[in-house]
Every structure is written in C-alpha cells, then in structure tokens.
C-alpha cells in the first residue's frame, strides 16, 4: 500500500494563502524527517533538525549559516492524535498560557482543532511521538523561537496526510478530523457534491455528500471514506 502524498494539500493551501498574506519569517516543519526550521526571505536562519546518525532519535539541530550550533528534540503527535499537515500561520502568542504547555504557546490556524507550538512541563517526553497533535519543544528552546517570530508568521507542516509516517491511510467517518478530510471535502466540492466549508471536519453535510458521491459513482454506499474511495477520487495511487 502506497503512502498518501501531501503534495495536493500543500498546493491547495498555497492557493488559499498567498505568500503576501504572511510575515517574512516562516516556520517549516517536515514530519517525514522530523525537522523544524525557521526561515527568513526564503533563507534558513534557524533549524531544529534531527541528526539521523546519532542513536538518540528525534534529536534536533540548531543550525545557522549551515553550521550546527545546538541539538534539540521535539515531540510531535501520536498515531491516534497526529500533528496537522498543511500551510497555516501563527494566530496567537502567549506566555505561560496554561499548565502543561510550558512557558510559551504559539497557536496555529488549523481549522479542525486547536494546535500549536509550545513548551512542556514534562521535558522527559520530548523525543517521542507523545503529543495530542501539537509540536512540543523544551521551554528554553521554544522561548528562543517565540522571540524570533510574530503573529502572521507562515507555518508549513509537511508530511503524510495522516500526520504520522507509520500510518498509510485512515478510514474516515463522521467525527473524523484532519488534512485528509479537508482534501476529500475539496474533491467533493469540486465535483459538485459538497457545498459546505472545507474545514477538515467530517460532519453531517460531509457525510451526505460522501453518500451521494458513492451512489452516483457506483461505489458501496457506506457514508464513510475507505481506501477504495480514496483510490477512486485519485487522492492516493
């Protein structure tokens, strides 16, 4: 079974959020390689990057001008609560937001839930797939990043549409949320089956559109999105 590429989502999000809508700085997170980079005018000025050659996995490097300065680690989402994939922006910044989120919080414009880049009061958890979908960092490192970005900063999270490299696809049902739901909604909307908001939330309107699509396309009418439906839509190959 082949992985689902995030190319369609990234391309779609670029059309929704033109480059002029963002501040000059950009945060780029790659879930495939588990990296986090801070860019300015297209140039990397800070990079929190995994060193694939060390035994400690999910170790991140802070780089400047191509030279490694420090090593950092992050804690992305679990298989069941994956990190979101797409192009977003920072919509809020807070210091000492809530207990459990460390010393800094940077909220992302994810339409299907509340996600952000933040610190943690459980530093021992950094390095594993442990979060509810947010990007965890050590407090001292997220404090540095916090001072370098502003509200409106572009945040690109690239990776598998499922949000986790070990999950190739998910069965989508009412209540499902995420980038894959958003792609399905856009496909159904373009085909004339869905007239709701493409917000990554599998709601009643989405369920009805899926059922109608399946009926008219000669597919089993399950009101759910299975692997065969994704193939038929051309979302996976």
């Amino acid at each position: 079974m082949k992985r689902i590429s995030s190319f369609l989502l990234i391309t779609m999000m670029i059309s929704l959020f033109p480059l002029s809508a963002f501040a000059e700085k950009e945060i780029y997170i790659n879930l495939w390689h588990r990296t986090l980079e801070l860019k300015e005018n297209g140039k990397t000025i800070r990079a929190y990057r995994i060193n694939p050659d060390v035994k400690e996995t999910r170790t991140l490097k802070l780089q400047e001008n191509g030279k490694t300065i420090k090593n950092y680690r992050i804690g992305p989402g679990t298989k069941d609560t994956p990190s979101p994939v797409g192009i977003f922006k920072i919509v809020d910044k807070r210091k000492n937001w809530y207990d459990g989120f460390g010393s800094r919080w940077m909220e992302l414009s994810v339409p299907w839930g509340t996600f952000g880049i933040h610190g943690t009061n459980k530093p021992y958890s950094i390095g594993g797939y442990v979060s509810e979908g947010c990007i965890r960092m050590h407090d001292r490192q997220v404090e540095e990043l916090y001072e370098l970005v502003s509200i409106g900063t572009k945040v690109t999270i690239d990776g598998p549409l499922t949000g986790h490299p070990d999950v190739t696809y998910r069965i989508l049902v009412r209540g499902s949320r995420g980038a894959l739901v958003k792609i399905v909604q856009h496909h159904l909307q373009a085909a004339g089956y869905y007239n709701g908001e493409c917000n990554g939330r599998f709601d009643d309107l989405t369920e009805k559109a899926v059922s109608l699509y399946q009926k008219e396309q000669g597919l089993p009418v399950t009101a759910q999105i299975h692997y065969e439906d994704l193939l038929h839509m051309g979302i996976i190959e």
Side-chain angles (χ1 to χ4, degrees):
M1 185 179 301
K2 298 182 179 180
R3 285 193 173 115
I4 306 173
S5 171
S6 62
F7 176 77
L8 290 175
L9 179 65
I10 298 300
T11 302
M12 175 190 69
M13 294 298 289
I14 288 175
S15 65
L16 294 177
F17 294 104
L19 295 178
S20 60
F22 298 103
E24 292 181 348
K25 288 189 176 69
E26 172 188 353
I27 295 173
Y28 176 77
I29 300 171
N30 189 311
L31 298 181
W32 294 112
H33 302 296
R34 298 185 300 281
T35 63
L36 188 156
E37 300 181 22
L38 176 63
K39 299 182 178 182
E40 186 171 26
N41 296 324
K43 181 180 179 181
T44 299
I45 57 175
R46 293 286 191 278
Y48 305 80
R49 182 183 299 276
I50 286 180
N51 179 354
D53 299 323
V54 298
K55 294 181 180 180
E56 182 64 36
T57 60
R58 291 173 292 280
T59 298
L60 305 184
K61 293 181 180 179
L62 173 61
Q63 297 182 333
E64 189 170 25
N65 298 323
K67 182 179 179 181
T68 299
I69 301 173
K70 300 177 182 178
N71 290 328
Y72 291 153
R73 292 180 294 168
I74 62 171
T78 68
K79 289 182 181 180
D80 294 327
T81 58
S83 296
V85 175
I87 297 178
F88 313 106
K89 61 181 177 180
I90 294 176
V91 294
D92 192 20
K93 293 176 64 181
R94 299 292 178 95
K95 295 181 179 180
N96 302 310
W97 187 49
Y98 283 113
D99 290 341
F101 291 88
S103 60
R104 299 292 185 271
W105 164 262
M106 290 167 279
E107 185 173 341
L108 306 178
S109 59
V110 181
W112 57 84
T114 301
F115 298 88
I117 302 169
H118 63 81
T120 180
N121 63 354
K122 299 178 181 178
Y124 53 84
S125 68
I126 300 297
Y129 294 101
V130 292
S131 79
E132 296 292 318
C134 292
I135 304 298
R136 287 187 191 177
M137 299 178 68
H138 284 292
D139 278 352
R140 67 182 184 277
Q141 297 157 4
V142 77
E143 288 168 8
E144 176 184 47
L145 184 63
Y146 184 94
E147 296 301 326
L148 292 170
V149 300
S150 60
I151 292 177
T153 295
K154 178 181 177 181
V155 179
T156 301
I157 303 181
D158 193 5
L161 289 182
T162 58
H164 196 286
D166 292 341
V167 180
T168 54
Y169 83 101
R170 298 178 187 274
I171 296 175
L172 304 179
V173 300
R174 183 191 291 199
S176 295
R177 299 183 180 189
L180 189 52
V181 175
K182 190 178 181 75
I183 284 289
V184 169
Q185 288 173 327
H186 274 282
H187 182 94
L188 293 172
Q189 188 178 73
Y193 294 96
Y194 179 68
N195 59 4
E197 181 183 359
C198 298
N199 56 13
R201 300 171 183 262
F202 200 117
D203 54 12
D204 181 66
L205 196 59
T206 304
E207 185 179 61
K208 290 179 180 177
V210 169
S211 295
L212 182 60
Y213 175 86
Q214 291 171 330
K215 180 179 179 180
E216 293 193 358
Q217 296 297 319
L219 300 168
V221 180
T222 63
Q224 302 174 353
I225 294 294
H226 293 256
Y227 181 71
E228 292 75 14
D229 300 301
L230 296 173
L231 280 173
H232 191 274
M233 292 180 176
I235 295 175
I236 60 176
E237 299 178 349

